[in-house]
Amino acid sequence: MNRKYRKTLIAGNWKMNKTPSETKQFLMEFKGMMPKGRWCDIAFCVPAVCIPAAVRAMRETRVGIGAENCNANASGAYTGEIAANMLVDAGCKYVIVGHSERRAMGETDADVNAKVKAVLDADLVPIVCVGESLEQRELGITEEWIAMQIKSALNGVGENKIKKVVIAYEPIWAIGTGKTATPDQAEEVCCAIRAVIRKLYDAKIARAITILYGGSMNEKNAFELLAKLDIDGGLIGGASLDAEKFVKIIEAANQPTT
Ligand code: PEP
């Protein structure tokens, strides 16, 4: 982390877990345990039906609520889909875009780019996920692959909008597997992502962009990961479903930095 230049964000991704009633119960409990430090932003990205309960529970706190996906279109005949302006009206602040689980369901780089633009147009914060497979890592093409994903996701995103974007580096082989990238592995890629942003925009923007690590981050490994200069927070799946573990990760983000 480098709090001098950029925000730290600890964001939960609940995936397809918890009902609206469970959301209310969980977040009320979490509210009572929330660390008092003000070093980092906190978010819960929850299933769409849980958004109203989450927004109500976290009202007047510094916790933002996010969606896990949205449609790139503003409205129309897209049965079952949710537009970014609907998420705004529901009280969301963040939207996860391009999670590898959605890419595995057929979401393309072009889809991700269209969603990023729709989310930014609605004045929400996209948490743009990128990451390599184990095979790509073993072939030694991690950085090229991720550079391509980022260039594609941010295609047409101007300097006035990029400031709102959060990038999450999530190696696919580390998501939900209990296999975490080592702090050095995660830092290497997050640093390479910042270099891509520098090339696409400029040094000031690269220095200010928040880059998260995601992939089996938990209360045990968070401190070491977050101690790395280019890792500005975490996108956390499994451990965000447990209030005590999530609080410990937030506390790890409150560690002193240089
Ligand atoms: C995720 O879903 O974005 C994620 C990182 O999951 P987990 O923490 O469970 O690996």
Side-chain angles (χ1 to χ4, degrees), residues 90-104:
C92 282
K93 181 170 175 196
Y94 300 91
V95 186
I96 297 175
V97 180
H99 193 282
S100 60
E101 288 158 13
R102 296 213 61 89
R103 291 182 191 256

Side-chain angles (χ1 to χ4, degrees), residues 10-29:
I10 299 296
N13 171 20
W14 280 4
K15 314 190 187 206
M16 200 170 73
N17 291 295
K18 297 198 191 289
T19 62
S21 320
E22 288 164 350
T23 299
K24 182 178 171 191
Q25 199 186 345
F26 176 95
L27 291 178
M28 286 306 181
E29 189 192 334

Side-chain angles (χ1 to χ4, degrees), residues 153-164:
L154 299 180
N155 187 26
V157 173
E159 285 197 7
N160 56 332
K161 295 263 170 89
I162 185 68
K163 293 181 180 122
K164 254 192 123 90

Side-chain angles (χ1 to χ4, degrees), residues 174-244:
I175 297 179
T177 56
K179 271 189 213 157
T180 324
T182 64
D184 285 342
Q185 281 174 326
E187 170 67 5
E188 193 178 11
V189 180
C190 289
C191 184
I193 291 174
R194 210 175 294 287
V196 173
I197 300 294
R198 196 175 301 123
K199 269 201 197 136
L200 290 176
Y201 298 91
D202 62 34
K204 203 170 160 206
I205 289 172
R207 203 170 58 183
I209 198 161
T210 294
I211 303 175
L212 312 180
Y213 168 76
S216 298
M217 189 187 268
N218 59 38
E219 74 289 2
K220 296 194 186 92
N221 57 31
F223 192 92
E224 264 193 285
L225 286 160
L226 295 170
K228 293 290 181 187
L229 202 62
D230 286 294
I231 303 179
D232 304 312
L235 182 57
I236 297 125
S240 71
L241 296 166
D242 179 313
E244 270 179 40

Side-chain angles (χ1 to χ4, degrees), residues 83-155:
N85 67 335
M86 298 173 185
L87 298 174
V88 173
D89 195 62
C92 282
K93 181 170 175 196
Y94 300 91
V95 186
I96 297 175
V97 180
H99 193 282
S100 60
E101 288 158 13
R102 296 213 61 89
R103 291 182 191 256
M105 288 178 225
E107 197 166 278
T108 65
D109 286 316
D111 295 332
V112 172
N113 177 238
K115 289 182 187 196
V116 168
K117 288 183 189 158
V119 169
L120 288 168
D121 285 345
D123 212 21
L124 292 164
V125 176
I127 301 177
V128 185
C129 301
V130 295
E132 81 287 6
S133 65
L134 187 57
E135 197 185 0
Q136 287 165 328
R137 175 158 283 266
E138 284 169 354
L139 283 170
I141 58 167
T142 298
E143 289 184 18
E144 286 98 313
W145 174 256
I146 284 168
M148 184 282 293
Q149 283 188 315
I150 289 181
K151 281 180 198 158
S152 169
L154 299 180
N155 187 26

